Amino acid sequence: MTNSNPVSSNAYEYLDNVGPEEQARLEAVRRYRLVDQPVEDAYDRIAFVAGAIFNTPIATVSLVEQDKVWLAACQGLVGVREVGKEPGLCASVIAQDDVYVINNAAVDPRTLEHPLVRGELGLRFYAAAPIRTHDGYRLGTVNVIDNKPREASDRQLQALEHLASMVSDELELRLMVIRSAAAEQRMRETVN
């Protein structure tokens, strides 16, 4: 990991107007302290590989927060770190375990009104695999985006699932570092 100083443990203490299941999922997102942080090389490489496998101009690693989708890494969209949580894309992917594919968003009823489809980006193709934690929470996605309709092969979709698993593994390593730093801090406080 390149970010050796994750945010303090109380950085995400806003939990309001969500049910217990979503609250538990949000707490899982927040325990990794990756939202609102600089891009880390590991996630950036995963986004790059996803885009290369699909030959798409855009690929991201995203985390779905309460009110936004945070792009932990993004290839192909300069300066974009977050998007809205509108249904049809990342927020819909985390509602299921399978890869989510939209071959032509301009005619797919799930995405007809989505701002990324109707807006300047002109999103047409979207494929995403959910990032699942080892304890079962779906935090976000590894996804690829194109402004042209297209099909994806089974092998490409399987690769996307593997990349999402790699993100999950990276997150667990990150959590170990966070917990180790907290334990070290507690030890220092008891010694002093």
Side-chain angles (χ1 to χ4, degrees):
M1 282 188 301
T2 58
N3 183 7
S4 60
N5 187 18
V7 295
S8 68
S9 62
N10 61 358
Y12 302 115
E13 296 208 4
Y14 55 96
L15 289 175
D16 52 346
N17 299 324
V18 297
E21 191 174 299
E22 177 63 0
Q23 180 172 334
R25 191 196 69 78
L26 288 168
E27 288 170 354
V29 168
R30 294 166 185 163
R31 72 182 169 205
Y32 297 100
R33 301 183 193 158
L34 193 57
V35 174
D36 296 326
Q37 295 298 302
V39 174
E40 294 185 15
D41 290 342
Y43 308 110
D44 207 35
R45 287 191 302 267
I46 288 169
F48 176 85
V49 170
I53 289 168
F54 282 81
N55 195 28
T56 57
I58 300 169
T60 78
V61 174
S62 72
L63 296 172
V64 179
E65 242 299 349
Q66 183 171 345
D67 58 349
K68 65 184 172 186
V69 176
W70 178 254
L71 304 180
C74 182
Q75 295 285 319
L77 289 174
V78 178
V80 178
R81 291 303 311 276
E82 67 182 72
V83 295
K85 193 179 164 183
E86 295 87 357
L89 298 177
C90 295
S92 296
V93 176
I94 65 164
Q96 62 184 39
D97 283 325
D98 300 325
V99 176
Y100 187 87
V101 179
I102 297 171
N103 295 313
N104 186 352
V107 297
D108 192 306
R110 299 173 290 180
T111 55
L112 285 173
E113 299 302 318
H114 196 285
L116 295 177
V117 175
R118 296 178 56 86
E120 185 179 328
L121 180 64
L123 180 148
R124 292 300 175 261
F125 172 77
Y126 176 83
I131 299 166
R132 288 183 294 276
T133 62
H134 297 289
D135 55 352
Y137 293 104
R138 293 179 297 267
L139 306 182
T141 70
V142 175
N143 64 69
V144 292
I145 297 169
D146 201 342
N147 59 1
K148 299 175 207 154
R150 57 187 350 207
E151 300 287 326
S153 73
D154 289 342
R155 187 169 173 87
Q156 287 174 313
L157 297 176
Q158 187 177 19
L160 202 58
E161 287 180 307
H162 285 299
L163 290 171
S165 292
M166 291 169 67
V167 171
S168 181
D169 292 343
E170 285 292 327
L171 289 171
E172 292 308 313
L173 291 172
R174 179 182 181 81
L175 187 58
M176 286 176 25
V177 170
I178 290 168
R179 288 179 175 164
S180 292
E184 183 179 329
Q185 181 64 32
R186 284 191 303 273
M187 275 185 11
R188 285 186 181 154
E189 289 170 359
T190 57
V191 170
N192 293 333

